[in-house]
Amino acid sequence: LHLCGVSHVDPASATAVRAYAEALAAAPGGLGAVAVEDEPRALLLTRAARAALHGLPPERIRAEGEGLVRHALFGLAEVHAWAAEAGATLDGAERVPLSPTLARHLRGEGVLWGLEQAEAAEAAEELGARVACLGGTPAPPPHVPLLTRLAYWLRVRALDPGHDERSPAELHVVASNRALAEVAPSAHEAVLLRKDAHFAAALRTVCADAARAGGEPPPAV
């Protein structure tokens, strides 16, 4: 089992996961599966958004990204089926809703949130490996009061003066996790501990499936 530390909002992470998948596929045993955090529906949407924005510079994504993504999602039959299940009709691309997180990063930094997951899935399929969705977040995070969030950020800066919330570097991640555990223990349990347990269980299943696929040495996940 190989874990690749990434950031949802750093385009370099998309490049890194593709290179890592290609290296594992070329190693003895090959690559059995690539696991991503999202559930299948969310991954489908992110992959469609990736295709719509592929190759565009950040300034164009900031200016046109929301419209391009909405148009891409409007072209998916699955999106119309999900809307119908919810009792809604999408009569134009402008009616396709985007998550606040996705829209904020498109407008702000000109990046697609979760691009690394879409890139990992594309690479896996090109390399003949299975794409395994770990099922997203098991439960929504609890509400954290504004003063608690302020205390959290102050503690993060005290632990890591050069903190970069976009970076997957160990220094920044450890500072974030420690500050959350100290300032908001219940949020730390919900956001990190329960999520880690959920993903660990899902990964065990993926690894067991890859081992059953055979091969010596067994394929990498």
Side-chain angles (χ1 to χ4, degrees), residues 1 3 11 33 42 57 71 80 101-102 114 125 145 148 170 184 191 209-210 218 221:
L1 174 64
L3 298 179
H71 183 76
H80 290 271
T101 299
L102 183 69
E125 292 186 352
T148 303
E170 182 179 5
V191 173
D209 290 344
V221 174

Side-chain angles (χ1 to χ4, degrees), residues 144-159 179-180 182-184:
V144 179
L146 178 60
L147 289 178
T148 303
R149 279 181 278 162
L150 177 59
Y152 160 75
W153 282 114
L154 291 173
R155 183 56 178 149
V156 169
R157 295 303 190 276
L159 293 169
L180 189 63
E182 292 177 0
V183 174

Side-chain angles (χ1 to χ4, degrees), residues 6-60:
V6 295
S7 167
H8 290 319
V9 292
D10 182 1
S13 286
T15 303
V17 296
R18 173 173 284 277
Y20 201 39
E22 291 172 348
L24 290 173
L31 181 64
V34 172
V36 298
E37 179 179 331
D38 266 338
E39 48 88 23
R41 282 191 179 192
L43 182 62
L44 174 69
L45 301 181
T46 305
R47 293 180 72 172
R50 171 195 175 276
L53 302 175
H54 187 66
L56 297 182
E59 56 270 20
R60 275 201 65 190

